[in-house]
Amino acid sequence: MTFFRFIAAGIFLLALSLSAPIARAQDFAAALADFTTDSFSDTEKAVTTIATSGNPRAADVIQALQDGRLFFTTEPKAVFIRTADGKFADAATGQAATPASPRPVRLNNRLRRSVDAALGGLTLLSPDANKRLEAAISVFRSRDAAALPTLDTAIAKETNTRVKRALTEARAAVILFKTDASETDKLDAVAVLRARGDQEAKALLSSLPADSPTNVKTAAQSAVAAIESNLALWATAQNAWYGISLGSVLLLAAIGLAITFGVMGVINMAHGEMVMLGAYTTFVVQEIIRTKNPALFDYSLLIALPLAFCVAGLVGIAIERGVIRWLYGRPLETLLATWGISLILQQAVRTQFGPTNKEVGNPSWMSGAFEVGGLTITYNRLWIVCFTLAVFVGLLAMLRFSRIGLEMRAVTQNRAMAASMGIRTGRIDALTFGLGSGIAGIAGVALSQIDNVSPNLGQSYIIDSFMVVVFGGVGNLWGTLVGAFTLGIANKFLEPFAGAVLGKIAILVLIILFIQKRPRGLFALKGRAVEA
C-alpha cells in the first residue's frame, strides 16, 4: 500500500512540474491576444503578463513594442514583429509570416514607462554586462516594484563591480518608494542613494512620499544637503578643468605671438591667420586621406603637424622678408601692414575653400570622454592640454640649448653686439618670425579639433592672444604660460555669473587696471637691454 502511495505522489509531482510550463505558455499566448484588442489597458495587462511569463520570446516582443515594430491583425487574431528587413515574423513562434493589413500596437506615455520597466526587468539577467547595466539604469528611473525579485536575484549573481553598484542603486530606488517596505530597508536605501551622490539621487530623495516615516525623511534631508555640498565641490572642480582647458588653447594661440610680439617687438596682426593656415592644412590632409587611404585617418594629425608648421612658417618668413624687415622700429606701420596681410590671407582662403565651415574629424583616440568622480573629461581637450605643455617645453629647450636659440636670444637682446660677433641678424630675424608663425600653424592643428575651421578662425583668438602676452609680461614665455591659464580659469569662473560676453569685458577691464599698476606685465623682463 505504501509503495502505491509513493508512486501516486510521484505521478502528481511530475504532472505538476509539466503543467507549469504549459500554463506559462498559455499565459503568453493569451497575453499576445490582448494586443489585438487595440486597448491601452489590455496592452498594459499584456506587457505585465509577458514580462513575468518566463517565455524566451518575451524580451523580443517587449523590445518590438518599444521600437514600434509590434503589429496585430484582428481576423485572425495574431501578433507579428516587423524585422529589420521590413518582413514580418509571428510573435509567438518567430517564424516568417505574411499578415494581411497589419496595424501597429499603440502606446501612450504611461504605457511607455511600463514597457521600459518590463524591458529593464527582462534584461537584468542578460549575459551581456552592458545590457544588465542599461536594465539597472532603466529600473532605477522607473522604480518598478515588480522588478524587485529579479533585482535581488541579479545582485546575488552579479560579479561585475560597476553593474552590481547600479543594481544596488536601482533596488534602493525601488525600496524607497515601496509602500510596504520596512523603515530599516528605507534607511539603507537612503544611504545607498547618498553614496551615489548625483542629481538623480538628489531628485529621488527630495520627492519622498508624504507618508514616509519621520526617521526616513530626516535621513533623506541630511543626504540631500550632503549631495548638494558634494555637487558644488565637483562643479568647482569642473569649472577649474574647463579653465585649464581654455587656458591651454589660449597658450597655444599666444605662444607664437609671444615670440613675434614679445621677443621681436613686431605687432603682427596676421598672427591669427597663421593659426587659420594650420587648421586648413589639417583639413586638406584629412581630405586627401579620406579619398586616397581612409585607413590612415587616425594618423592624420601626426601627418598634419609638420606640414602645418612648414606652411605657416614659410608664409611667416615670406611676410618678414617681404614686408616686416622694411618696417622695424615703426610699430604703427607694422600694425597696419600686417592687418592688411591678414585681410589678404583671409580672402585668399575664402576664395580657395569657400566661406563656410569645413569638417575636420577627430581621430578615434581623441573621441569620447571619461569621468573622475563628478568630473567629465573629454579626450580631445585632455590631449590638447598635454600637447600645449609639450610645445611649451620644447620651445623653451630649443631657445635654451640649441645654437639657433642662442643666436635668437643674442639678436633680440643686443642686435649690434650680435652683428659684431658675426651673427647674420637678418637671417635670424626671418627664422624667428618663421618660428613664431610655425608654432601658430601647429596651434591651428589643435584648434581644428575643438573649433570651426573657417576663414575667421584666427580672428577669434587674436585679441585673447594679445591680452595673454601683455598680461603675462612682454617677451617672457613663462609669463605667457601663467597669463594664459590665469585668464582661462578666470573666464570660466566669471561666465556662470556674468555670461560669456560680460565675462570677457570684465577680464579686459581687470587687465587694463592691472597694466596701470604693472606696465610690464606679470613677469617683467629685467636688464640693461630692457631698460634701454
Side-chain angles (χ1 to χ4, degrees):
M1 190 65 183
T2 305
F3 174 75
F4 289 107
R5 285 181 179 176
F6 177 77
I7 293 295
I11 292 172
F12 174 75
L13 291 174
L14 179 63
L16 192 63
S17 63
L18 289 175
S19 64
I22 294 171
R24 285 200 295 270
Q26 289 173 345
D27 288 345
F28 183 74
L32 283 179
D34 285 339
F35 285 128
T36 64
T37 62
D38 199 20
S39 160
F40 287 135
S41 58
D42 285 348
T43 301
E44 185 172 20
K45 189 172 69 173
V47 169
T48 305
T49 307
I50 287 174
T52 56
S53 67
N55 192 291
R57 294 200 51 75
D60 291 341
V61 172
I62 301 294
Q63 183 67 59
L65 180 61
Q66 186 188 50
D67 297 343
R69 298 183 292 107
L70 195 67
F71 289 76
F72 70 94
T73 57
T74 52
E75 293 294 338
K77 289 185 176 182
V79 182
F80 306 91
I81 294 174
R82 189 173 63 192
T83 55
D85 56 4
K87 297 180 179 177
F88 287 90
D90 188 282
T93 62
Q95 293 178 350
T98 311
S101 304
R103 295 161 56 190
V105 179
R106 297 182 302 144
L107 286 178
N108 57 18
N109 288 336
R110 184 169 58 85
L111 272 176
R112 285 191 181 88
R113 285 194 291 273
S114 300
V115 169
D116 289 344
L119 202 56
L122 282 171
T123 50
L124 282 171
L125 299 172
S126 168
D128 187 336
N130 289 328
K131 286 188 177 179
R132 296 199 302 274
L133 183 63
E134 290 174 7
I137 294 170
S138 176
V139 173
F140 180 88
R141 290 172 181 162
S142 68
R143 306 192 299 274
D144 181 17
L148 197 55
T150 314
L151 271 174
D152 289 335
T153 306
I155 291 170
K157 292 174 62 178
E158 188 58 61
T159 55
N160 184 306
T161 307
R162 187 181 174 203
V163 177
K164 189 162 191 167
R165 186 172 65 244
L167 290 168
T168 306
E169 291 167 354
R171 185 180 187 279
V174 172
I175 290 289
L176 199 61
F177 288 83
K178 196 167 184 289
T179 52
D180 57 348
S182 69
E183 183 175 323
T184 305
D185 286 346
K186 290 198 173 192
L187 287 173
D188 290 342
V190 170
V192 170
L193 294 176
R194 179 174 180 160
R196 176 177 168 126
D198 63 356
Q199 290 286 1
E200 288 186 301
K202 179 188 161 191
L204 284 184
L205 291 168
S206 302
S207 56
L208 279 181
D211 57 349
S212 297
T214 305
N215 287 340
V216 175
K217 286 182 178 176
T218 305
Q221 288 169 357
S222 172
V224 168
I227 289 173
E228 284 176 345
S229 174
N230 192 44
L231 288 175
L233 191 64
W234 281 114
T236 304
Q238 188 73 64
N239 273 340
W241 166 250
Y242 287 151
I244 291 171
S245 170
L246 176 62
S248 68
V249 171
L250 292 178
L251 176 61
L252 208 52
I255 196 168
L257 193 66
I259 296 174
T260 55
F261 176 55
V263 178
M264 298 180 69
V266 175
I267 302 174
N268 180 18
M269 293 299 289
H271 180 77
E273 277 57 51
M274 301 298 114
V275 177
M276 175 196 68
L277 288 178
Y280 271 94
T281 303
T282 312
F283 166 70
V284 172
V285 168
Q286 287 199 349
E287 284 300 298
I288 294 173
I289 287 176
R290 278 193 179 105
T291 53
K292 302 293 183 185
N293 193 347
L296 289 177
F297 188 79
D298 274 352
Y299 303 97
S300 60
L301 295 190
L302 300 178
I303 298 170
L305 274 176
L307 291 175
F309 182 85
C310 292
V311 169
L314 289 174
V315 172
I317 290 173
I319 292 173
E320 199 278 340
R321 288 289 86 186
V323 179
I324 303 293
R325 69 168 173 159
W326 310 105
L327 301 175
Y328 281 122
R330 296 153 64 184
L332 183 59
E333 284 90 338
T334 308
L335 185 149
L336 292 174
T338 53
W339 182 53
I341 292 169
S342 76
L343 295 178
I344 293 170
L345 289 174
Q346 283 183 46
Q347 188 55 46
V349 169
R350 195 172 284 115
T351 304
Q352 180 64 34
F353 297 99
T356 55
N357 294 340
K358 295 300 175 189
E359 182 189 355
V360 176
N362 290 122
S364 60
W365 46 275
M366 287 187 77
S367 303
F370 63 95
E371 293 187 355
V372 180
L375 198 63
T376 302
I377 297 176
T378 55
Y379 283 110
N380 58 356
R381 292 277 179 174
L382 180 63
W383 277 112
I384 288 175
V385 171
C386 297
F387 176 69
T388 303
L389 295 177
V391 170
F392 181 79
V393 171
L395 183 60
L396 280 181
M398 194 276 288
L399 290 175
R400 177 70 178 82
F401 299 110
S402 71
R403 180 179 177 82
I404 187 70
L406 179 65
E407 292 182 351
M408 283 180 183
R409 285 186 288 135
V411 171
T412 53
Q413 288 178 15
N414 194 322
R415 177 178 294 273
M417 180 65 76
S420 68
M421 297 295 291
I423 297 175
R424 295 164 58 191
T425 55
R427 173 175 167 272
I428 294 301
D429 286 338
L431 289 178
T432 306
F433 202 90
L435 175 65
S437 300
I439 292 173
I442 61 175
V445 177
L447 292 179
S448 70
Q449 299 300 299
I450 57 173
D451 208 338
N452 297 323
V453 176
S454 72
N456 300 321
L457 173 65
Q459 297 298 308
S460 308
Y461 294 97
I462 188 68
I463 302 299
D464 288 338
S465 300
F466 273 108
M467 283 201 298
V468 166
V469 174
V470 171
F471 176 67
V474 176
N476 191 313
L477 291 182
W478 283 104
T480 305
L481 175 77
V482 175
F485 283 112
T486 303
L487 294 186
I489 292 173
N491 253 311
K492 286 302 173 186
F493 276 95
L494 278 174
E495 277 180 8
F497 305 102
V501 176
L502 282 179
K504 278 191 178 297
I505 293 173
I507 291 290
L508 182 60
V509 170
L510 289 174
I511 289 177
I512 291 171
L513 294 175
F514 178 79
I515 295 299
Q516 298 301 310
K517 291 289 291 180
R518 292 178 65 94
R520 294 185 186 280
L522 205 57
F523 292 84
L525 287 180
K526 295 178 181 176
R528 283 181 297 177
V530 174
E531 299 300 329

